[in-house]
Amino acid sequence: MHRATLLLCLLAALAAASCNRPDATAVSAAVPSDGGSLKGDFGPPQGEPIKAVLTSPPQVPPATNRTTPAKVIVELEVIEKEMPISEGVSYMFWTFGGTVPGSFIRVRQGDTVEFHLKNSPSSKMPHNIDLHGVTGPGGGAASSFTAPGHQSQFTFKALNAGLYIYHCATAPVGMHVANGMYGLILIEPPGGLPKVDREYYVMQGDFYTTGKYREKGLQPFDMQKAIDERPTYVLFNGSEGSLTGDKALAGKTGETMRLYVGNGGPNLVSSFHVIGEIFDKVWFEGGARFQENVQTTLIPAGGAAMMDFHVEVPGSYVLVDHSIFRAFNKGALAILKVEGPENKAIYSGKEVDEVYLGDRAQPNLAAVTAATKSATGGALTIDEQVKAGQALFAGTCSTCHQANGAGLAGVFPPLAKSDFLAANPKRAIDVVLGGLTGPVKVNGQDYNSVMPPMSQLNDDEIANILTYVLGNWGNPGGKITKAEVAERRKAKSAVAATGR
């Protein structure tokens, strides 16, 4: 009887709570809506036609600052061109406007857009464009198929406000997208977006080359890797280091920043994050609604997001795909450099460590590029190897072995004045290739730690790093060549294959 009474009381309480809870439909209706495409037509264009201002990444065109719809003419050219994808590595990109990502397009909801797509006479392939902000079959793809040396034109009305991807949709679609054929179009709401101090344009993409990560020279596209979704690179704005060093994004304390971030794919979902910042607002999936106080936001392949944040303290803020190996081992890393007075009441820490940024803390990796060019021409000097090795060492080895080669007492053995290296400099190749686990004595001190294989390094990178180490900190000097590393790698592979 007592249990029955308790059960009745509980049910009554639940019923009362249900009565007092706002109806879900009423809550939804209370949120203002722009009506989508049903309310996106504001009538015919007014005034003279306007030629759209297009910008190359990471820049963003100015706001439209219009209260009426207009006819906007967009002219975009497809250009196939070889460009750097990493230091000493080039790739034949297919681009909209000569950059990856393509030019940023900015219009207003209700605008009538007259779109001109040109395909450079130097192109080898036909191309088209599918704009996710277009209402109509194919997003414009069927109307814009353009052979090399030709031009296509079509018109659409921008009915839905938001941030949208555009990309090539010519077969094989995946290959065209994987080669860099994507960009962003912003369709502003009629009242515009909230004003901010700075706006930047960033897009992530995954790239598939026949060579491994940072393997030098011109690298062709690898269709099988793309099908298997095994990218060699995951990059912001089409190139490793595109937004680091002297090309880093800039800001000042007290400013509000806005990032327009897209994900061209073709395969991966981005876990976009800015280390040391929290997004005040994220317009998720590029739509009309925003979420507040967001640490990391998912951006699907073929999707986009807008995010605002206010910067309070100076320093280097690192933009990453928080699927973290993509950031530090495939290239998805950028830097926002903020200058201004410190604010100890908010953050008392020091500027971000170089070891955290790795080799991207350097102004650039020009020494690596110079060494690659010399090696290609058969004129690589020890001095060039040492300079390239120094830059690579900073991002690969200095965390454990320290920038001065001193190591960490009792934990990581020193490379400076190392009797281990002096006894047999060439065995350092095997240590880097295969790692080293278990007891080892260096300079009379016992160590028992783990060094994993540096499988992400190419033969020339290993040669340059070891040449740098041998020539510094009281070591005996000498030179390690790419051929020597390749020979040892081949020998270790043969042993692994036979099991002997």
Side-chain angles (χ1 to χ4, degrees), residues 74-79 95-97 114-120 126-131 140-141 143-147 149-154 166-170 181:
V74 176
E75 296 179 349
L76 192 59
E77 183 177 17
V78 173
I79 302 171
T95 77
F96 287 110
E114 181 181 294
F115 205 100
H116 299 254
L117 185 68
K118 303 175 182 178
N119 192 355
S120 171
H127 299 284
N128 64 6
I129 190 166
D130 168 6
L131 299 107
S143 302
S144 60
F145 184 83
T146 311
H150 289 262
Q151 174 178 326
S152 298
Q153 177 183 327
F154 65 99
Y166 67 78
H167 62 87
C168 186
T170 301
M181 298 198 75

Side-chain angles (χ1 to χ4, degrees), residues 359 388-406 415 461 465-466 468-469 473:
D359 51 26
Q390 182 177 17
L392 294 165
F393 181 93
T396 309
C397 317
S398 64
T399 302
C400 297
H401 293 290
Q402 304 298 291
N404 60 359
L415 299 178
E461 292 175 326
I465 290 172
L466 292 179
Y468 166 68
V469 171
W473 311 316

Side-chain angles (χ1 to χ4, degrees), residues 433-457:
L433 286 173
L436 184 62
T437 300
V440 62
K441 187 183 290 291
V442 180
N443 296 348
Q445 175 77 40
D446 291 322
Y447 294 88
N448 191 354
S449 56
V450 176
M451 174 181 167
M454 297 289 103
S455 57
Q456 79 276 19
L457 295 174

Side-chain angles (χ1 to χ4, degrees), residues 219-294:
Q219 291 296 323
F221 170 73
D222 190 317
M223 178 64 91
Q224 192 58 52
K225 277 187 181 179
I227 293 171
D228 295 341
E229 301 186 7
R230 294 184 294 109
T232 316
Y233 295 88
V234 183
L235 302 173
F236 293 136
N237 289 7
S239 176
E240 189 175 18
S242 64
L243 297 172
T244 65
D246 51 11
K247 294 178 286 186
L249 304 177
K252 294 181 179 180
T253 54
E255 292 183 332
T256 297
M257 321 292 291
R258 176 172 296 146
L259 299 179
Y260 297 99
V261 183
N263 182 7
N267 290 322
L268 303 183
V269 173
S270 174
S271 300
F272 188 77
H273 175 76
V274 177
I275 298 173
E277 264 298 344
I278 298 162
F279 302 132
D280 298 326
K281 296 178 180 178
V282 174
W283 284 263
F284 47 92
E285 298 178 356
R289 302 286 181 266
F290 61 79
Q291 176 66 286
E292 295 181 298
N293 305 323
V294 177

Side-chain angles (χ1 to χ4, degrees), residues 89-406:
V89 190
S90 60
Y91 186 81
M92 182 56 71
F93 291 93
W94 299 348
T95 77
F96 287 110
T99 61
V100 177
S103 303
F104 194 106
I105 305 168
R106 190 169 193 162
V107 299
R108 177 189 180 277
Q109 187 180 16
D111 282 348
T112 297
V113 181
E114 181 181 294
F115 205 100
H116 299 254
L117 185 68
K118 303 175 182 178
N119 192 355
S120 171
S122 64
S123 294
K124 301 293 191 296
M125 297 287 291
H127 299 284
N128 64 6
I129 190 166
D130 168 6
L131 299 107
H132 289 190
V134 168
T135 300
S143 302
S144 60
F145 184 83
T146 311
H150 289 262
Q151 174 178 326
S152 298
Q153 177 183 327
F154 65 99
T155 301
F156 69 93
K157 181 161 283 192
L159 297 177
N160 295 76
L163 183 64
Y164 299 98
I165 292 280
Y166 67 78
H167 62 87
C168 186
T170 301
V173 178
M175 180 180 182
H176 285 249
V177 174
N179 283 339
M181 298 198 75
Y182 45 77
L184 289 179
I185 177 171
L186 173 64
I187 302 176
E188 296 179 355
L193 292 169
K195 290 185 178 181
V196 293
D197 296 297
R198 298 179 193 248
E199 296 180 317
Y200 288 115
Y201 171 27
V202 178
M203 282 198 74
Q204 181 171 316
D206 28 292
F207 295 86
Y208 303 82
T209 64
T210 55
K212 65 184 294 187
Y213 176 61
R214 289 185 175 178
E215 186 170 331
K216 301 302 184 281
L218 175 62
Q219 291 296 323
F221 170 73
D222 190 317
M223 178 64 91
Q224 192 58 52
K225 277 187 181 179
I227 293 171
D228 295 341
E229 301 186 7
R230 294 184 294 109
T232 316
Y233 295 88
V234 183
L235 302 173
F236 293 136
N237 289 7
S239 176
E240 189 175 18
S242 64
L243 297 172
T244 65
D246 51 11
K247 294 178 286 186
L249 304 177
K252 294 181 179 180
T253 54
E255 292 183 332
T256 297
M257 321 292 291
R258 176 172 296 146
L259 299 179
Y260 297 99
V261 183
N263 182 7
N267 290 322
L268 303 183
V269 173
S270 174
S271 300
F272 188 77
H273 175 76
V274 177
I275 298 173
E277 264 298 344
I278 298 162
F279 302 132
D280 298 326
K281 296 178 180 178
V282 174
W283 284 263
F284 47 92
E285 298 178 356
R289 302 286 181 266
F290 61 79
Q291 176 66 286
E292 295 181 298
N293 305 323
V294 177
Q295 58 186 317
T296 301
T297 190
L298 290 176
I299 306 177
M306 298 179 287
M307 53 216 67
D308 288 1
F309 56 96
H310 186 265
V311 284
E312 280 80 13
V313 295
S316 294
Y317 295 85
V318 188
L319 287 62
V320 297
D321 180 341
H322 216 293
S323 297
I324 209 70
F325 277 102
R326 299 176 187 173
F328 296 106
N329 299 91
K330 291 182 181 289
L333 183 151
I335 296 173
L336 168 64
K337 183 69 175 179
V338 176
E339 297 180 343
E342 293 186 357
N343 188 338
K344 297 290 187 179
I346 292 178
Y347 182 67
S348 63
K350 63 181 179 180
E351 165 68 334
V352 65
D353 288 332
E354 284 195 1
V355 293
Y356 191 64
L357 297 181
D359 51 26
R360 291 297 160 191
Q362 309 303 316
N364 54 60
L365 291 181
V368 178
T369 302
T372 301
K373 289 181 179 178
S374 295
T376 302
L380 179 65
T381 66
I382 289 184
D383 183 60
E384 287 173 320
Q385 272 197 279
V386 167
K387 288 179 179 177
Q390 182 177 17
L392 294 165
F393 181 93
T396 309
C397 317
S398 64
T399 302
C400 297
H401 293 290
Q402 304 298 291
N404 60 359

Side-chain angles (χ1 to χ4, degrees), residues 392-438:
L392 294 165
F393 181 93
T396 309
C397 317
S398 64
T399 302
C400 297
H401 293 290
Q402 304 298 291
N404 60 359
L408 292 175
V411 183
F412 299 116
L415 299 178
K417 298 180 181 179
S418 169
D419 58 3
F420 181 87
L421 290 175
N424 183 1
K426 302 295 182 183
R427 69 177 169 182
I429 300 174
D430 289 340
V431 172
V432 176
L433 286 173
L436 184 62
T437 300

